[in-house]
Amino acid sequence: AAAFAVIVDFSMRTLRNWHRGDQAVAAMEMITRGIGRLQADLAVSLPMSVPGGDGAAVLFKGDANAVIFAAATGFGTGNRGVELISVSAFQEREDIALIRNRGPIAHPQPELRDPVVLMRGRMRVRFSYRDHNGKTVPPWIEHPELPTAVAVEIFGAQGNPILPVPALITLPQNYSVECFNPPSDKANIQMRCSQENSEPDADPDAQSRPGQRRQ
């Protein structure tokens, strides 16, 4: 009986540890998938100007809890497939849910749709941003250019970091096709080309010069 009691106690502790291990693996898989989805969206972000604005600010707004930006996902309206992507953290009782929404780019902005839960659990997600000098900028609001990277930090229920270092998602400094081949109808297209496009190799006529690689 004593031996049986020892075996039962050992088996129960082993099963609890096994269950905790499964939970940890499932949580890391969920976090990896969520960060991967955000990385895929940011990889096709575009430096478009804010609809209805004066063109001085790029359509990218981010704070500690949410980030919203224009992206050429291929699923938006029109032949460019550009749409607005929003990733925000919401409180759900004791859990935090990181939800992705999408919608057309317009002024005024219609309600975003198609919510997808990227992460959910007793955790806290925090975003921060890097400028072209590598400096950390907590909020990115009304800037004339895109950040070079978005840092994602994830903390457990007790405030301990789940990731050993922030996940740093770099943004490619790609430019809208209108920067190189302006459309004939500019009235319905609000976009902004970076100051780097004023360089000789990046002006709109560069693609037609002999020896230049077409963008």
Side-chain angles (χ1 to χ4, degrees):
F4 181 74
V6 170
I7 293 173
V8 169
D9 179 67
F10 174 77
S11 299
M12 292 300 294
R13 285 189 284 114
T14 301
L15 288 175
R16 285 195 297 268
N17 291 336
W18 185 280
H19 183 60
R20 283 196 295 268
D22 281 348
Q23 288 180 328
V25 170
M28 290 308 299
E29 288 179 347
M30 175 190 64
I31 291 172
T32 301
R33 286 195 302 268
I35 293 177
R37 175 68 266 177
L38 179 58
Q39 183 178 24
D41 287 333
L42 289 171
V44 291
S45 58
L46 293 175
M48 299 179 67
S49 62
V50 178
D54 57 3
V58 73
L59 183 54
F60 189 105
K61 180 180 180 181
D63 57 22
N65 301 310
V67 56
I68 184 168
F69 55 94
T73 62
F75 297 100
T77 57
N79 59 0
R80 296 173 180 82
V82 180
E83 58 184 348
L84 195 66
I85 300 296
S86 170
V87 178
S88 306
F90 295 92
Q91 186 77 38
E92 292 185 350
R93 296 184 180 179
E94 296 182 355
D95 291 346
I96 293 292
L98 191 67
I99 300 179
R100 176 188 187 268
N101 288 278
R102 54 185 286 269
I105 298 174
H107 179 73
Q109 179 62 46
E111 184 178 357
L112 301 183
R113 61 185 187 276
D114 300 336
V116 176
V117 178
L118 302 182
M119 304 179 198
R120 178 185 281 126
R122 295 185 180 181
M123 62 180 68
R124 183 167 59 91
V125 181
R126 184 172 67 191
F127 298 110
S128 60
Y129 311 90
R130 303 291 190 271
D131 63 13
H132 287 266
N133 296 318
K135 181 181 178 182
T136 299
V137 181
W140 194 277
I141 301 173
E142 296 184 354
H143 280 253
E145 57 194 4
L146 295 176
T148 60
V150 176
V152 184
E153 296 176 277
I154 302 177
F155 303 91
Q158 305 300 324
N160 55 305
I162 294 178
L163 301 177
V165 294
L168 196 64
I169 304 174
T170 58
L171 276 71
Q173 298 305 301
N174 56 344
Y175 304 107
S176 174
V177 66
E178 291 92 347
C179 294
F180 302 95
N181 186 20
S184 57
D185 182 12
K186 296 182 180 180
N188 296 326
I189 299 177
Q190 292 190 341
M191 46 72 68
R192 176 191 172 276
C193 297
S194 169
Q195 294 177 355
E196 296 176 5
N197 287 333
S198 62
E199 297 177 359
D201 290 340
D203 65 5
D205 297 328
Q207 58 178 329
S208 61
R209 293 176 183 171
Q212 290 284 348
R213 182 168 62 90
R214 186 177 180 86
Q215 298 293 335

